[in-house]
């Protein structure tokens, strides 16, 4: 994998920084507004909002499967599917963060989670920029992510079918959330390294993909931190 020269890295870094800053700001504002504006919190607690969020989650899953299928076919133009996938993930994760913020037992957990997530983003971005090549991280992180997602689906199924005690399923989901926070923390360094230092696509594609994936890592961490810290407060 070829490393970009210093000037190209600086240009690409500025492009991705602007995009990530904008997306992160929007996500944080949505989370804070949900936590501190009562009318927005009540709206996010409705069944309609929950079903809409689950609907976007299902759409994201379908588009993910389609993306995996077309990745093995060189004759398929995937630009429109790629943008549809990115938009679906963006809406779904923001709605998930809004829902988590609405369900947080204390509203003060939300700004604390935001602060921790931003610190993780900054620290791991620094790691990604300083490392020479983190391409070997890709496969282990992908396997860890896939295994955790499958485990979550199994636990949710067991929980809703009352196959295991609710306490056991809650503990299992919290452990998996903590593990996924670790995985996406590592993914920040990996994505920064791949898309800023070692990207072999066009400038536009590097900037767009880098912006989206780095923001997605941040959003995944924030959503799970809010939910995890909220659960801890509830149990206490």
């Amino acid at each position: 994998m070829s490393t970009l020269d210093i000037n190209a890295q600086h240009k690409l870094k500025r492009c991705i920084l602007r995009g990530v800053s904008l997306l992160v700001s929007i996500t944080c504002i949505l989370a804070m507004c949900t936590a501190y504006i009562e009318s927005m919190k009540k709206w996010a607690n409705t069944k309609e909002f929950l079903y809409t969020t689950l609907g976007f989650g299902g759409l994201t899953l379908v588009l993910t499967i389609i993306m995996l299928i077309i990745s093995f076919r060189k004759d398929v133009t995937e630009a429109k599917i790629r943008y549809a996938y990115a938009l679906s993930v963006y809406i779904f994760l923001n709605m998930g963060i809004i829902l988590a913020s609405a369900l947080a037992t204390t509203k003060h957990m939300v700004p604390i989670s935001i602060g921790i997530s931003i610190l993780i983003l900054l620290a791991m971005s620094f790691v990604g920029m300083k490392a020479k090549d983190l391409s070997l991280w890709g496969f282990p992180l992908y396997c860890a992510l896939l295994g955790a997602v499958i485990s979550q689906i199994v636990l949710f199924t067991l929980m809703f079918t009352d196959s295991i005690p609710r306490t056991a399923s809650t503990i299992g989901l919290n452990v998996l959330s903590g593990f996924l926070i670790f995985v996406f923390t590592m993914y920040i360094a990996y994505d920064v390294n791949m898309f800023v230092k070692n990207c072999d696509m066009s400038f536009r594609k590097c900037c767009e993909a880098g912006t989206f994936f780095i923001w997605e890592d941040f959003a995944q961490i924030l959503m799970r931190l809010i939910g995890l810290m909220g659960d801890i407060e509830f149990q206490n």
Side-chain angles (χ1 to χ4, degrees):
M1 179 175 291
S2 60
T3 302
L4 297 175
D5 62 68
I6 299 300
N7 290 333
Q9 285 184 28
H10 284 321
K11 186 178 179 181
L12 189 55
K13 182 166 63 175
R14 287 194 297 268
C15 180
I16 293 177
L17 178 61
R18 286 194 298 267
V20 172
S21 298
L22 176 61
L23 295 183
V24 166
S25 297
I26 292 172
T27 299
C28 293
I29 290 171
L30 289 173
M32 291 292 288
C33 287
T34 304
Y36 287 92
I37 299 177
E38 196 62 31
S39 58
M40 191 169 178
K41 177 177 286 192
K42 289 181 179 178
W43 167 69
N45 269 313
T46 60
K47 289 183 178 179
E48 291 78 8
F49 186 85
L50 174 61
Y51 293 151
T52 304
T53 303
L54 293 175
F56 272 103
L59 176 61
T60 301
L61 179 60
V62 171
L63 289 172
T64 301
I65 295 172
I66 294 174
M67 286 284 290
L68 289 173
I69 293 173
I70 66 176
S71 66
F72 294 100
R73 297 185 57 187
K74 302 299 183 182
D75 58 326
V76 178
T77 302
E78 57 177 297
K80 291 183 179 180
I81 298 295
R82 186 171 63 246
Y83 285 122
Y85 167 77
L87 180 61
S88 175
V89 171
Y90 181 75
I91 295 174
F92 170 63
L93 286 180
N94 275 318
M95 292 183 74
I97 289 170
I98 290 173
L99 185 61
S101 300
L103 296 176
T105 53
T106 60
K107 60 186 179 182
H108 304 301
M109 291 295 100
V110 176
I112 292 174
S113 299
I114 290 174
I116 294 173
S117 300
I118 292 175
L119 286 176
I120 292 174
L121 176 62
L122 294 175
M124 297 311 293
S125 295
F126 179 79
V127 172
M129 286 302 301
K130 289 298 181 181
K132 184 177 180 180
D133 183 7
L134 299 181
S135 57
L136 293 178
W137 287 22
F139 184 71
L141 286 175
Y142 176 79
C143 291
L145 178 59
L146 183 62
V149 170
I150 292 174
S151 299
Q152 276 192 325
I153 293 173
V154 172
L155 271 177
F156 273 120
T157 303
L158 293 175
M159 182 174 66
F160 287 117
T161 57
D162 295 324
S163 300
I164 60 175
R166 183 60 62 92
T167 303
S169 61
T170 300
I171 293 174
L173 288 172
N174 285 342
V175 170
L176 281 174
S177 291
F179 177 71
L180 281 169
I181 288 172
F182 170 76
V183 171
F184 283 111
T185 296
M186 296 298 103
Y187 253 122
I188 291 176
Y190 173 78
D191 287 334
V192 168
N193 187 265
M194 290 298 100
F195 290 108
V196 177
K197 292 191 69 175
N198 300 301
C199 189
D200 55 3
M201 299 182 292
S202 67
F203 178 84
R204 178 181 174 182
K205 286 185 177 180
C206 288
C207 183
E208 290 178 349
T211 297
F212 172 74
F213 284 116
I214 294 169
W215 168 83
E216 183 187 10
D217 298 335
F218 167 84
Q220 293 278 7
I221 292 171
L222 177 59
M223 181 172 65
R224 285 171 173 80
L225 268 179
I226 294 174
L228 193 59
M229 295 179 77
D231 285 341
I232 292 173
E233 285 294 312
F234 177 77
Q235 291 168 0
N236 288 341

